[in-house]
Amino acid sequence: MTTLPGHLAFVPFVSVDNMMQLIHHIGLERMLIELAAAIEDDFKRWESFDKTPRVASHSADGVIELMPTSDGDIYGFKYVNGHPKNTKSGLQTVTAFGMLADVATGYPLLLSEMTILTALRTAATSALAARHLVPRGARCMAIIGNGAQSEFQALAFKAICGIDTVRLYDIDRAATEKAMRNLAGQGLALIPCDSPEQAIEGAQIITTVTADKQYATILTDNMVGTGVHLNAVGGDCPGKTELHRDILLRSRIFVEYPPQTRIEGEIQQLAPDHPVTELWQVITGAVPGRTNGDQITLFDSVGFATEDFSALRYILGQLQRTGLFQRLDLLADPDDPRDLFGMVQRAAPGQPGGRE
Ligand code: NAD
């Protein structure tokens, strides 16, 4: 047991290595279930959060975004990028880190890697939404785009929605082979496919999680029959979508935070007043999810700040029990809070406590 002091002279820092150890300590599927529960709890108190579309800085090759929110007691933000061309030079498409702070003092409470945590929270949110939206008895999911996010999506849908079969397709066969290797022995039947058409055969759930900085058409209208649930994860920026517009016109569309999704999601292709349902209303039971077996339901996922807040809050809750963090010297902490200058001087070479 590691004690976190009430007044922190350090900031707990969860490194990539700490995060990986935490996943193995808790178990990946259990962690996905617990993260989904934390995200669900915060969706249930949606109205207590400060909400704003994320602040995006676009460039020719990608985007860098800041995602802030607060519940009045705790403030959180995530830094995240999206650079689809990165994988060609051995870099990841998405990297992230995030922070929680105490609203009362403004002092940071946690700094954490969030590249892995984003993959977990995105998958947990998709599966949480799907629990309300998939057709009864859905067991088979197609995953189109078999990159960094894909295995997390597969295992979240297994743990949270009970799927037992995954049909995998990627334009790059090596990505599908990598996902097949990673998912082997995890209790899922795995079917590699040669085309998106083959991948969606018999699938009640279709996850699109591709990366391309353009209006792509991963699914055309004729590919999507009635009674399926679409989990569209990859279209999350202006000018970056995955579904043909006609599919959207036939779907009941569920979104996280409409002001952000209208800018970034699949629905950027639709009129600004096209009706959508907010996920928090489905989660609280105020609005029904799927209402009949023939409906096409679409979760137009872009990722919202409260989901990162929930994930960070969950990680903060694990630190004391597991000790899986480092002490980061991030806060200047003079004995006399107004003597910041004196603290710097006392660190001079030759001073007691200073460097030699
Ligand atoms: P990645 O680059 O690791 O993987 C993307 C995969 O898509 C690659 O294997 C690529 O070959 C494949 N692909 C590209 N075009 C394709 C096509 N036309 N058909 C089939 N496959 C295709 O990226 P990642 O980290 O897995 O992220 C995937 C997408 O999800 C990105 O666009 C990212 O921005 C988005 N994302 C969304 C959320 C969210 O909350 N909604 C969170 C994280 C990532």
Side-chain angles (χ1 to χ4, degrees):
M1 174 87 69
T2 308
T3 311
L4 291 174
H7 161 71
L8 295 177
F10 64 87
V11 176
F13 169 57
V14 177
S15 67
V16 172
D17 186 53
N18 292 145
M19 188 63 76
M20 294 194 293
Q21 286 187 50
L22 188 63
I23 291 170
H24 290 296
H25 182 83
I26 295 172
L28 181 60
E29 289 191 33
R30 191 176 137 209
M31 193 159 160
L32 285 162
I33 291 169
E34 291 179 356
L35 277 168
I39 293 166
E40 183 172 32
D41 285 348
D42 286 339
F43 268 117
K44 282 185 180 159
R45 56 185 192 108
W46 183 248
E47 273 146 349
S48 55
F49 284 94
D50 252 3
K51 293 177 286 292
T52 176
R54 59 185 155 197
V55 182
S57 172
H58 295 280
S59 58
D61 293 322
V63 63
I64 293 175
E65 298 165 324
L66 291 178
M67 303 172 69
T69 190
S70 168
D71 68 356
D73 293 323
I74 296 180
Y75 172 91
F77 78 86
K78 178 169 86 172
Y79 166 103
V80 63
N81 77 304
H83 286 69
K85 70 158 184 67
N86 270 6
T87 51
K88 288 199 176 62
S89 42
L91 302 174
Q92 299 216 98
T93 298
V94 176
T95 65
F97 65 88
M99 183 162 246
L100 292 179
D102 176 18
V103 168
T105 60
Y107 268 42
L109 296 170
L110 172 70
L111 178 67
S112 177
E113 90 78 39
M114 289 194 79
T115 303
I116 301 168
L117 192 57
T118 292
L120 291 167
R121 79 80 157 118
T122 302
T125 305
S126 281
L128 171 64
R131 224 170 47 199
H132 299 272
L133 303 178
V134 296
R136 201 184 300 270
R139 289 280 174 273
C140 176
M141 174 158 90
I143 303 185
I144 302 180
N146 302 155
Q149 311 297 317
S150 61
E151 297 93 340
F152 297 92
Q153 289 281 333
L155 291 172
F157 276 75
K158 171 178 176 259
I160 294 165
C161 304
I163 64 155
D164 57 25
T165 304
V166 178
R167 302 175 66 86
L168 295 156
Y169 171 73
D170 195 292
I171 36 167
D172 180 355
R173 184 73 187 192
T176 303
E177 283 164 7
K178 176 253 351 174
M180 296 282 294
R181 274 196 307 279
N182 287 340
L183 290 171
Q186 305 264 8
L188 286 166
L190 305 171
I191 302 167
C193 299
D194 294 323
S195 66
E197 288 80 2
Q198 189 192 350
I200 64 174
E201 264 172 41
Q204 299 92 11
I205 306 168
I206 305 174
T207 290
T208 54
V209 61
T210 65
D212 205 348
K213 202 166 164 49
Q214 60 162 327
Y215 291 109
T217 308
I218 306 301
L219 298 178
T220 54
D221 191 32
N222 60 346
M223 289 166 74
V224 178
T226 56
V228 295
H229 173 61
L230 305 173
N231 172 41
V233 178
D236 59 357
C237 254
K240 176 164 170 268
T241 57
E242 295 181 303
L243 307 183
H244 192 282
R245 182 174 181 274
D246 289 349
I247 300 172
L248 310 184
L249 298 173
R250 292 162 57 217
S251 304
R252 258 193 86 201
I253 303 173
F254 299 81
V255 303
E256 292 143 313
Y257 179 57
Q260 181 177 309
T261 312
R262 293 211 188 266
I263 298 168
E264 302 179 349
E266 296 300 322
I267 59 170
Q268 65 186 276
Q269 304 180 70
L270 300 179
D273 58 352
H274 188 92
V276 295
T277 302
E278 296 187 46
L279 187 56
W280 71 273
Q281 293 182 305
V282 178
I283 287 172
T284 58
V287 176
R290 172 175 291 274
T291 51
N292 70 62
D294 287 342
Q295 245 163 24
I296 301 171
T297 50
L298 163 63
F299 176 42
D300 187 0
S301 158
V302 292
F304 187 59
T306 58
E307 296 151 27
D308 299 307
F309 178 97
S310 314
L312 287 169
R313 199 170 53 74
Y314 172 80
I315 296 298
L316 186 63
Q318 304 304 316
L319 298 190
Q320 191 139 335
R321 188 173 63 81
T322 63
L324 289 171
F325 64 93
Q326 295 161 42
R327 291 166 159 72
L328 201 62
D329 181 21
L330 190 69
L331 287 174
D333 192 27
D335 294 338
D336 171 356
R338 287 172 300 184
D339 194 19
L340 187 63
F341 189 86
M343 187 185 79
V344 174
Q345 279 191 315
R346 284 189 292 280
Q351 294 292 320
R355 291 177 200 283
E356 292 313 313

